[in-house]
Amino acid sequence: MPLVTLVEVLKRAEAESFAVGAFNCNNMEIVQAIVEAAEAEASPVVIQASQGALKYAGLEYIVALVRTAASSTRVPVVLHLDHGTDRNQVWQALRAGFTSVMVDGSPLPLEENISLTRQVVEVARAMGVSVEGELGRIGGTEDHVRVAGREATLTDPEEARRFVAETGVDALAVAIGTAHGPYRGVPRLDFERLKTIRELTGIPLVLHGSSGVPDEDIRRAVALGVRKVNIDTDIRTAFVKKMREVLAARPEEIDPRKILGPAREAAREVIRHKIRVFGSSGRA
Ligand code: G3H
Ligand code: 13P
Ligand code: ZN
């Protein structure tokens, strides 16, 4: 089926209290792994591309790969721009056919984040495209372990209320203690803060940096209003681990398909597990 918007899949996620998985892609094998997993679980899915992924694969390749994947499946597929920090890149994604964009103004002062995000919402809405905004700083691993000063980087619930009211975003990425990339130790999520943000905003919330977060914590976050869960690192880890295993067992292997094929399968299994944890199996 054709690509659908994030708003469309979030409608059912809200009504039935589950989260949709948003999985990062960089190449054909990962796009295929994501769609095969969603299909096997009969689940809606978000395939997202970061600015780094677009630079690596090329915008047109990513759009063509994801469109092709969506057209050959019956599950709803959203093509989403992950962490759009550059206004021009957001416009490019809109023109190229993305059905959802994230505008990440989180490093900016609140007023500037609101104004950038509102501008993107105005344009995207006119094109029938969904928008995710971000408030608070979702750290990298280094930021995460530096616990001192953590409070200051997390999303302020009152600011979130104002941000949502003034921008009109469809979904909000929140900083509640997760970080991008691998964790050293187990992350500590601020569930009280999540609950308050949800009460004050009433919109679908997005959890970034979700690789390495224990399944139980993910389920708890979903119960408190997280409706989109972003996963990249756990896919990369499974994919590359399998490549290393194949190469270690057969160092003479020169056929990329014999290396990337098993890696694609390993990625697919990780994604299937995540989809079950998010509660979106059977909700396509
Ligand atoms: O949010 C970050 C994603 O994991 C994308 O990472 O910028 O290395 O593509 P990347
Ligand atoms: P992880 O790589 O930590 O799973 O984070 C993914 C993410 O938040 C993409 O926006
Ligand atoms: Zn992210």
Side-chain angles (χ1 to χ4, degrees):
M1 62 193 266
L3 293 168
V4 300
T5 65
L6 183 63
V7 165
E8 216 164 311
V9 303
L10 288 180
K11 231 184 279 166
R12 184 158 180 192
E14 274 297 348
E16 299 175 19
S17 299
F18 66 89
V20 62
F23 303 102
N24 286 74
C25 70
N26 294 288
N27 61 13
M28 182 190 76
E29 283 77 9
I30 293 178
V31 170
Q32 290 173 330
I34 297 168
V35 169
E36 284 170 14
E39 200 156 53
E41 293 296 326
S43 167
V45 75
V46 178
I47 304 182
Q48 56 190 10
S50 68
Q51 296 186 2
L54 296 176
K55 194 164 168 215
Y56 172 77
L59 179 78
E60 299 301 334
Y61 272 89
I62 292 287
V63 173
L65 284 169
V66 177
R67 276 212 180 115
T68 303
S71 68
S72 58
T73 179
R74 294 160 71 106
V75 302
V77 177
V78 179
L79 172 55
H80 176 81
L81 175 69
D82 189 29
H83 293 283
T85 48
D86 176 293
R87 204 182 310 240
N88 289 327
Q89 187 142 37
V90 173
W91 305 150
Q92 269 178 19
L94 290 176
R95 267 202 306 273
F98 279 62
T99 52
S100 179
V101 291
M102 174 183 190
V103 49
D104 181 358
S106 62
L108 302 171
L110 179 63
E111 302 296 335
E112 288 173 42
N113 188 1
I114 289 177
S115 127
L116 169 70
T117 306
R118 192 199 282 138
Q119 191 189 4
V120 169
V121 169
E122 272 168 22
V123 176
R125 187 138 301 153
M127 298 174 73
V129 170
S130 317
V131 180
E132 172 185 339
E134 175 175 329
L135 190 62
R137 301 305 305 275
I138 298 157
T141 313
E142 298 75 23
D143 300 334
H144 163 74
V145 291
R146 224 180 325 112
V147 178
R150 166 177 134 119
E151 284 291 304
T153 66
L154 300 184
T155 307
D156 177 80
E158 182 50 41
E159 283 185 7
R161 187 201 57 73
R162 190 180 148 209
F163 182 86
V164 168
E166 294 187 15
T167 60
V169 286
D170 302 299
L172 177 69
V174 291
I176 57 159
T178 58
H180 292 110
Y183 289 97
R184 274 182 251 146
V186 181
R188 246 182 341 104
L189 272 54
D190 189 339
F191 292 106
E192 268 311 305
R193 183 180 299 269
L194 177 63
K195 184 164 176 277
T196 313
I197 297 169
R198 170 74 169 181
E199 280 164 5
L200 293 184
T201 62
I203 68 162
L205 302 178
V206 183
L207 195 64
H208 283 244
S210 308
S211 293
V213 176
D215 292 351
E216 263 328 295
D217 285 359
I218 296 279
R219 288 194 190 96
R220 201 169 153 197
V222 173
L224 291 171
V226 164
R227 297 287 171 254
K228 173 175 177 279
V229 181
N230 286 12
I231 299 281
D232 189 354
T233 300
D234 282 346
I235 301 175
R236 295 179 182 195
T237 305
F239 194 86
V240 175
K241 179 168 175 272
K242 181 54 79 175
M243 287 174 66
R244 287 194 217 281
E245 279 169 17
V246 173
L247 287 169
R250 297 199 306 278
E252 73 295 347
E253 184 59 69
I254 55 93
D255 185 343
R257 297 168 298 189
K258 304 264 170 62
I259 304 161
L260 297 175
R264 176 173 60 194
E265 279 172 32
R268 186 185 64 212
E269 290 316 302
V270 166
I271 297 165
R272 282 192 72 169
H273 174 76
K274 299 289 179 188
I275 287 174
R276 283 184 226 127
V277 172
F278 305 161
S280 73
S281 293
R283 318 265 193 179

